[in-house]
Amino acid sequence: MSAQAAVPLQPQAPAELVSYLEGLAEPHIVFDRRYRIVAANAAYRRQYSPEASVLGHTCYGVSHRFAVPCDQAGESCPLARSRESGQRERVLHLHHTPQGEAYIDIELTPLADAGGEPALYVERMSPLHATQGAAATEGLIGRSPAFREMLEQIARVAPSEASVLLLGESGTGKELVARALHEASARATQALVVVDCASLPETLFEAEVFGHERGAFTGATAMRTGLAETANGGTLFLDEVGDIPLPMQVKLLRLLESGTFRRVGSSELRRTDVRVVAATHRDLGAMVADGRFREDLYYRLATFPIRLPPLRERAGDLALLAAALLARVAPKRRLTLAPAALAQLSGLRFPGNVRELRNVLERAALFCDGEVIETAHVERALAAGLPVAPGRPALAAPARSLREISRQALRERLAAHGGRRAELARELGISERTLYRRLRELGEHESGTR
């Protein structure tokens, strides 16, 4: 930020207000109509200003290092919005902190003077955990408008108990968003339990989710607690909820509506307290219309839908993501991308989104012996992810989606690996779960067209 010159006459906040804010656990500041900070509680001083006083400085200078108010620098200004509405306002801002930039959920409350006009403003700050505005080793990363719009929705719904449905293409980071929702909720101290719906066949789904008693079926040699019960008090994340078998959907609906369930092999009604976050890459609306997904379950899950933007819509985020992903895939090396290599990656669509970008970067890192990844390394990484089957011509395009590979081509690849899906998934640069899902989709399409 530009150096904030202290004003000669510093305004004062009421002693009672300062005393009240001092005891609050969340960071709070108070500022006047001219954006000058007149009070900052202990929580704020610990987290954001441990070494210097912010009193007398402007809120936009301290938080954003701006020389002008937020709304004049491309940000949404809660004070300006409050002046228009005359009431409390909330915004999501990217703040400078001693640890670097971080997304902060801000709630601003105007305090009226004796004449009824706002004289002071109280600003509460809540960090949005698992999100970053710069390259980091974990969590959601980005600065683009589409990314920030998604984060604002996360900040809005996370503190509530509303069910959330995450909609987006494969590889957009749905599990990371689910974790961000969990960590920003009142359930953050309890478990986040993931149910991988795509990998559970109908015969196992009920036992995995609801648990089973000893002897309930062949192989059930001991009682087992289900995932829904394990998540009691926390968050149950239903990943790829569109893959839940239709007969199981009614039992899941009962769990969501009443919090009750029965273990397989038991007549005892049990209860669990969970907040549900679901995710899918499928068009659930079309599945409802086709009778493949229950309409009542859809509306129960989609109380608050959030769309995750694909990588191609996140202009400007690729460089941040690439730096963070390189640190994750090669933590012992200080790898960077040459400008030409970054430009090369920026020209690709990445139908597999962030997951595909990570795979390409990991392969490029393996081809690179130095500390700078050049275009030649990226080209080899792209080629290595798209092996050509015997007798087939090479692809003209540098990349293509798994969805463009036919069932027959996948069968041939799988046969070449002796039916070992794990090896084929590694060859294609995707997860085994993604390969399983694609094979299943193609199987459904083939049976439906006969």
Side-chain angles (χ1 to χ4, degrees):
M1 72 183 169
S2 58
Q4 296 97 19
V7 293
L9 297 175
Q10 184 172 306
Q12 299 291 319
E16 297 86 353
L17 175 62
V18 173
S19 178
Y20 170 72
L21 296 179
E22 194 71 9
L24 297 181
E26 288 189 309
H28 286 73
I29 60 172
V30 183
F31 51 91
D32 64 10
R33 297 188 185 102
R34 296 171 60 186
Y35 305 92
R36 296 175 301 181
I37 299 173
V38 299
N41 72 349
Y44 179 92
R45 296 194 300 273
R46 284 193 304 270
Q47 294 189 36
Y48 300 113
S49 184
E51 298 180 357
S53 172
V54 297
L55 300 184
H57 301 307
T58 60
C59 58
Y60 54 80
V62 170
S63 297
H64 302 290
R65 303 186 178 180
F66 291 159
V68 295
C70 300
D71 56 337
Q72 298 176 35
E75 284 273 8
S76 177
C77 177
L79 189 148
R81 289 171 57 169
S82 182
R83 282 173 173 167
E84 292 180 2
S85 67
Q87 59 187 5
R88 181 180 303 175
E89 292 288 345
R90 283 180 62 186
V91 299
L92 185 72
H93 271 181
L94 190 59
H95 275 219
H96 285 272
T97 76
Q99 294 74 40
E101 289 184 318
Y103 282 104
I104 308 294
D105 182 26
I106 290 178
E107 183 178 72
L108 180 140
T109 303
L111 301 178
D113 58 16
E117 292 296 321
L120 295 173
Y121 298 85
V122 179
E123 194 170 84
R124 173 191 59 78
M125 302 180 181
S126 300
L128 190 59
H129 297 290
T131 62
Q132 301 288 336
T137 55
E138 58 184 18
L140 294 162
I141 301 165
R143 300 172 67 101
S144 65
F147 180 81
R148 297 181 70 161
E149 169 64 24
M150 178 191 73
L151 290 190
E152 185 173 354
Q153 294 181 56
I154 292 172
R156 290 277 177 178
V157 73
S160 75
E161 288 294 305
S163 298
V164 179
L165 179 62
L166 306 178
L167 304 169
E169 299 174 7
S170 294
T172 47
K174 291 187 279 291
E175 187 167 344
L176 288 176
V177 173
R179 185 166 298 280
L181 286 164
H182 174 70
E183 293 184 0
S185 74
R187 298 173 177 266
T189 57
Q190 303 300 315
L192 169 66
V193 176
V194 179
V195 181
D196 187 359
C197 302
S199 65
L200 290 177
E202 184 176 338
T203 53
L204 293 179
F205 185 90
E206 186 175 9
E208 285 289 319
V209 175
F210 303 117
H212 61 76
E213 298 293 342
R214 179 181 179 183
F217 49 84
T218 302
T221 57
M223 184 278 291
R224 181 173 180 178
T225 301
L227 297 176
E229 194 170 356
T230 302
N232 184 42
T235 303
L236 187 68
F237 175 44
L238 303 172
D239 194 14
E240 294 302 348
V241 70
D243 290 338
I244 295 178
L246 196 59
M248 293 296 104
Q249 292 178 21
V250 65
K251 296 187 178 184
L252 179 61
L253 179 64
R254 185 183 304 117
L255 173 70
L256 300 185
E257 291 186 334
S258 66
T260 62
F261 65 97
R262 288 184 175 87
R263 290 176 179 165
V264 177
S266 173
S267 59
E268 179 186 357
L269 195 65
R270 307 181 71 87
R271 292 186 176 275
T272 188
D273 171 27
V274 295
R275 194 262 186 94
V276 173
V277 177
T280 184
H281 73 287
R282 296 181 181 273
D283 184 347
L284 290 188
M287 293 180 68
V288 168
D290 294 342
R292 291 180 291 141
F293 200 85
R294 292 182 62 96
E295 185 176 21
D296 46 8
L297 178 58
Y298 169 77
Y299 286 115
R300 183 62 182 80
L301 293 170
T303 302
F304 196 96
I306 297 178
R307 178 181 176 270
L308 279 62
L311 186 55
R312 61 183 174 276
E313 294 180 9
R314 296 175 54 182
D317 282 351
L318 192 137
L320 283 174
L321 287 165
L325 291 171
L326 284 174
R328 295 176 192 178
V329 301
K332 296 182 180 180
R333 302 169 65 187
R334 295 184 177 181
L335 289 172
T336 59
L337 277 170
L342 179 60
Q344 182 183 26
L345 291 172
S346 299
L348 302 176
R349 289 183 59 81
F350 288 107
N353 295 292
V354 179
R355 185 183 295 121
E356 183 181 0
L357 174 62
R358 177 184 176 125
N359 290 342
V360 171
L361 290 172
E362 186 164 9
R363 292 195 295 269
L366 293 172
F367 284 123
C368 176
D369 295 322
E371 295 183 350
V372 180
I373 294 177
E374 305 286 354
T375 56
H377 303 131
V378 173
E379 289 170 0
R380 292 188 68 186
L382 292 171
L386 296 165
V388 180
R392 294 180 180 271
L395 299 174
R400 69 172 179 172
S401 167
L402 179 63
R403 290 185 172 277
E404 295 176 280
I405 302 177
S406 69
R407 180 178 178 80
Q408 182 59 34
L410 282 179
R411 278 176 172 168
E412 291 175 2
R413 302 273 185 89
L414 193 58
H417 286 283
R420 292 184 289 274
R421 292 179 179 177
E423 291 186 5
L424 176 57
R426 282 196 297 271
E427 179 183 289
L428 293 172
I430 60 175
S431 69
E432 190 174 356
R433 187 176 71 180
T434 300
L435 175 60
Y436 173 86
R437 185 165 60 237
R438 181 56 178 155
L439 288 167
R440 181 173 175 179
E441 288 174 355
L442 287 168
E444 290 174 355
H445 175 73
E446 187 176 86
S447 61
T449 55
R450 284 177 180 173

